[in-house]
Structures are given as structure tokens and as C-alpha cells.
Amino acid sequence: MLPAQLESYDQLRKNMAMRDRSLREKVMTLSEAASFVQDGMKVGIGGSTMSRTPMALIWEVIRQKRKNLSCSRCIISTDGDLLFGSGAADHIMSSWFAQGILWGLSKVLRHHVERGDKRYDEWSHLAMGMRYRAGAMGIPYIPTRAMLGSNVMTQRPEALESECPFTKEKLLLIPALNPDVALIHVQRCDAFGNAQMDGLQFMDIELALAANRVILTTERIVSNDQIRRAPDQTKIPFFCVDAVVEVPYGSAPHECYGHYEPMLDHMDMYVKQVNADPIGGMRAYLDEYVYGPASWTEYLDRIGLASLLDATQKGRSIHND
């Protein structure tokens, strides 16, 4: 009989093989797409730090009062603050958890983890990517040298040292990571879910292939004809995708390369508020910017037109068409 973890992984592969991979339109509302995320699920988050964060989806998941989520991302930023502070997530896996390079490590993270009501698992940056890659390849683990010689390895009992059967070198075996659902924001995609990304891709391709379901938000939905004109730019294919939502400024107040830079005035305000009081400041922020607005458009209105236009001008100025 196979070990329990292999039995469950075999079932996972069977479940993924049964997915509907037909070419069909998948456009829906933000609320409908976020409803794919249910309590207790493993959620993979695309982008990195403050880049292409699927903030609109995270915003809506929090509004739907999801609980006990286990979230993973290559580098967590203020999205992790919101997930911990709202109670949506009680477990986060990442290689770094900060409010952004300008503001340093998250005091919201420290408050909850040191108090013991939330769990944070630290992996190396490469290890996070390799875990997604193993999941995308359909194998239960992958050998790597990542974390060998680092004390990060001592914090991760899930990673096992092993000897290469060919070279006899020491390797580290790290388990695959297959989220129940992935949340990814892209610059453009068609109604079927063929997604194109500009700039850095981070770990989003591996994440999309590893996840059981993929929800895409996009700055704009374009025609399939436009996608076919530049097929080399399509990084996530339709057969991985379950939902498509057009959400302009879907990473706000973070950035989306080629469209807008971070809204730093809003970020400065946020960081000062929650760092001064990780509980009260977060509660006030959630009431004002997450639970208060009736729609994503109203949320953007509260950030302010001046901030949006300034971020857009700066974002477009560094992008070469």
C-alpha cells in the first residue's frame, strides 16, 4: 500500500485530470469568481511583493468573510497583512513577508505570529518556486540544493535531506505545492482565459499549472484575434483557467507593469495606520476601504482620482510598447 501522502497526491492528480478544459467563455463578476474560494482552502497568490498583486480578488474574498485559508506566495506584501488582519487566513507560506521594500517587515505579521494565533512558514525564494514547479509537473516532490547550508532549512521539517542516487551528492527533497485555487492578475487576456503578461512573470506560470482552479483578473479583456497576433506572449493557456474578470486597476494600490505604479501616498497612510496599531488600525482600514465600499470602483474612488492618475502616468512612462 502506498504511503498516505502518495495516495492523496494520486487522488489530486486524478481530480485535476477530470477538470473541464474545454474552450469556452469564462467571464464573470468579481463576486462570482471569488466565490470559488471556500473556507479552509489552500490559496496561491500570483505576482510578487507589490507587483501584479491580485488585490481586487483578495479584497472580495475578505468581503465574503472567508476563514481558515492557507495562503502561499513567492513574496508577501500588504496583501498578507489584510489576509491575516481580517481573519481570512490563519496560515501563510512565503520567502519574505514585508509591507514593501520602503517600509520593511510587517508589524501586522509580527503581532499575530508572536501572539500565536497565526502561522507563518518561511521557505527560500527558490524553494517556493520549486514547490509550485513540482506541483505543475505532477510529481509529489522535487530535489534541489535550495536552502542547503541555510538555517531556513532547519525551520522546515517538511524538507528532507537525501543522497543523489547518481552522484552521491547531498540534496534536499521539497514537497510539491498544489493550491486548491490560484488568484492571478494579468495585463490582458481573452474571454477564454488565454493570458498575456508583460514584464516579470514571477512564479505565476508554475502556480497556474499547479493549482486545481485558476481565477484571473485582468486590466482588460481583449479579443481572441488579438491574443493570436502575439501567441508568444500568452503565458497562461485557457485550459488552466476557470474564471476571467475584467478589473481595471485590479492590483491597486500595488502596481501593474505598463499600466500604473504603486499608489505610494495611500501606502504610506496605510503603513503608518496599521503599524501604530496592528489591531485597531487594521480594523479601521478594513472598515473604510474593504467593507465600506459597495464596489471595486467605489474602493478606487476612496483611494482618489489624483493618486490613480499619478500612478498611471508614472507606470506608462517606463513602458515601451
Side-chain angles (χ1 to χ4, degrees), residues 31-176:
S31 177
E32 289 170 336
S35 70
F36 287 13
V37 180
Q38 294 296 309
D39 293 353
M41 279 188 168
K42 294 181 294 181
V43 179
I45 300 172
S48 180
T49 320
M50 294 173 63
S51 297
R52 270 195 308 99
T53 309
M55 290 296 285
L57 276 170
I58 292 169
W59 179 85
E60 182 60 30
V61 166
I62 293 172
R63 285 165 60 86
Q64 293 187 11
K65 304 296 181 70
R66 295 294 174 253
K67 300 292 182 185
N68 304 318
L69 301 179
S70 176
C71 298
S72 58
R73 194 184 187 204
C74 56
I75 298 179
I76 290 280
S77 182
T78 55
D79 47 300
D81 277 8
L82 297 173
L83 288 163
F84 265 176
S86 66
D90 56 13
H91 177 211
I92 286 178
M93 293 172 279
S94 183
S95 63
W96 192 52
F97 192 147
Q99 291 170 328
I101 296 172
L102 296 176
W103 302 282
L105 296 178
S106 166
K107 291 187 178 180
V108 176
L109 158 76
R110 293 194 62 175
H111 173 84
H112 287 288
V113 173
E114 290 177 357
R115 195 171 66 172
D117 62 295
K118 309 291 182 187
R119 173 183 164 192
Y120 172 57
D121 290 352
E122 181 181 5
W123 294 79
S124 76
H125 188 64
L126 179 59
M128 286 298 303
M130 296 302 284
R131 293 193 68 194
Y132 287 137
R133 177 162 292 183
M137 293 170 67
I139 54 178
Y141 68 89
I142 195 166
T144 178
R145 288 192 175 92
M147 301 196 302
L148 286 174
S150 165
N151 65 358
V152 176
M153 188 182 72
T154 64
Q155 303 177 44
R156 298 272 55 83
E158 308 95 323
L160 304 175
E161 288 190 38
S162 181
E163 182 182 272
C164 174
F166 303 104
T167 66
K168 306 305 178 184
E169 294 175 289
K170 185 168 70 172
L171 295 173
L172 195 66
L173 309 182
I174 55 177

Side-chain angles (χ1 to χ4, degrees), residues 75-282:
I75 298 179
I76 290 280
S77 182
T78 55
D79 47 300
D81 277 8
L82 297 173
L83 288 163
F84 265 176
S86 66
D90 56 13
H91 177 211
I92 286 178
M93 293 172 279
S94 183
S95 63
W96 192 52
F97 192 147
Q99 291 170 328
I101 296 172
L102 296 176
W103 302 282
L105 296 178
S106 166
K107 291 187 178 180
V108 176
L109 158 76
R110 293 194 62 175
H111 173 84
H112 287 288
V113 173
E114 290 177 357
R115 195 171 66 172
D117 62 295
K118 309 291 182 187
R119 173 183 164 192
Y120 172 57
D121 290 352
E122 181 181 5
W123 294 79
S124 76
H125 188 64
L126 179 59
M128 286 298 303
M130 296 302 284
R131 293 193 68 194
Y132 287 137
R133 177 162 292 183
M137 293 170 67
I139 54 178
Y141 68 89
I142 195 166
T144 178
R145 288 192 175 92
M147 301 196 302
L148 286 174
S150 165
N151 65 358
V152 176
M153 188 182 72
T154 64
Q155 303 177 44
R156 298 272 55 83
E158 308 95 323
L160 304 175
E161 288 190 38
S162 181
E163 182 182 272
C164 174
F166 303 104
T167 66
K168 306 305 178 184
E169 294 175 289
K170 185 168 70 172
L171 295 173
L172 195 66
L173 309 182
I174 55 177
L177 184 53
N178 291 89
D180 296 306
V181 60
L183 315 180
I184 299 175
H185 186 70
V186 298
Q187 279 88 355
R188 62 195 169 276
C189 70
D190 64 15
F192 306 127
N194 292 298
Q196 298 184 340
M197 293 181 284
D198 300 323
L200 297 175
Q201 299 160 16
F202 306 111
M203 300 169 185
D204 289 7
I205 298 173
E206 289 84 358
L207 171 59
L209 292 169
N212 190 45
R213 277 185 157 183
V214 175
I215 305 173
L216 291 182
T217 52
T218 180
E219 290 296 318
R220 58 194 177 105
I221 295 175
V222 299
S223 70
N224 183 253
D225 286 342
Q226 181 171 336
I227 292 292
R228 288 173 181 269
R229 291 190 196 108
D232 58 306
Q233 295 180 27
T234 300
K235 307 303 180 183
I236 298 175
F238 74 90
F239 55 78
C240 291
V241 176
D242 298 271
V244 172
V245 188
E246 187 174 60
V247 189
Y249 294 98
S251 289
H254 293 184
E255 62 94 14
C256 182
Y257 174 71
H259 289 261
Y260 46 90
E261 285 288 277
M263 289 132 212
L264 295 180
D265 52 350
H266 183 85
M267 293 295 299
D268 278 331
M269 176 278 296
Y270 163 82
V271 171
K272 290 176 183 177
Q273 180 171 315
V274 300
N275 280 0
D277 185 354
I279 295 295
M282 176 60 74

